[in-house]
Each structure stands twice: as C-alpha cells, then as structure tokens.
Amino acid sequence: MNTTQQTIIGQPFDMNSQVAYQPGSVVSRTLIDKKIGTLTLFAFDAGQGLSEHTAPFDAVVQVLDGTAAVTIDGTLHQVAAGQMIIMPANLPHALKAEVPFKMLLVMIRA
C-alpha cells in the first residue's frame, strides 16, 4: 500500500484537496491501482488536456471542479462540476480544460 492509500483508505477525505493545480500543467494522483481498475485524480490548468486516444475499457470521468470539454467519437460534451460522463471502450475520446478543472477518472479493466 502506497503513502496515499495509507492516508485515505478507510477515512473520509475531500477529493479536491488531494490534487492541486499547477500553471501550464496536468497533475495526477493515483488513489487506487488494482488489476481490475484504477482511481486517479487529475488537475488540469486552462488550455491543458489529454489528446484523442482509445482505451480497451470503459472509463468514467467525474468532474470535481470547473468544466471539461470532453469529446467522444467526434461529439463534444461540456461536463461541469458535479457531473460525470462514461467514455465507452474502443471509442476515441479526448479532454480539454477551457478553464482549470479537476476530475476523478475511474478505469474499469473488465
């Protein structure tokens, strides 16, 4: 178990406080990394993103702060704090921060 897991497992915590914005950067912090899936927090500064790619498994994005522009198979979606979107396996998707935003990414490898 890594230090992050030792700090948060079995304890309530605020997800927003676990990852900080950095100018011109994307910051990530893995909370759980198991064979069947991962939980990773991200903080994107405005203008930053993840380029279009595909994944062999479904991925769930829960926006914690700000707004994300999420493109799935050519369709643009605006996803705001408190909302989530499921990115289906094998479809191209990308994310872009028009304003700073934070998200929790849940990857399910099954």
Side-chain angles (χ1 to χ4, degrees):
M1 191 177 301
N2 68 36
T3 304
T4 297
Q5 290 173 334
Q6 290 172 353
T7 304
I8 64 171
I9 298 294
Q11 301 294 322
F13 65 95
D14 173 48
M15 287 188 285
N16 275 318
S17 69
Q18 297 297 309
V19 63
Y21 293 115
Q22 296 294 323
S25 298
V26 176
V27 178
S28 67
R29 183 171 188 185
T30 301
L31 302 178
I32 295 177
D33 188 358
K34 304 276 185 176
K35 185 176 182 177
I36 64 166
T38 60
L39 293 175
T40 307
L41 291 169
F42 287 86
F44 293 79
D45 194 17
Q48 301 300 308
L50 299 176
S51 60
E52 186 175 75
H53 63 282
T54 59
F57 308 106
D58 292 340
V60 177
V61 169
Q62 178 180 356
V63 177
L64 306 172
D65 185 40
T67 303
V70 180
T71 303
I72 300 173
D73 200 26
T75 302
L76 178 63
H77 306 275
Q78 295 294 325
V79 187
Q83 295 181 315
M84 63 189 321
I85 191 165
I86 299 169
M87 299 183 298
N90 303 312
L91 288 181
H93 55 270
L95 297 115
K96 182 157 184 176
E98 294 169 347
V99 300
F101 85 96
K102 292 181 182 181
M103 71 177 198
L104 173 66
L105 177 67
V106 180
M107 288 288 299
I108 302 167
R109 298 181 186 134

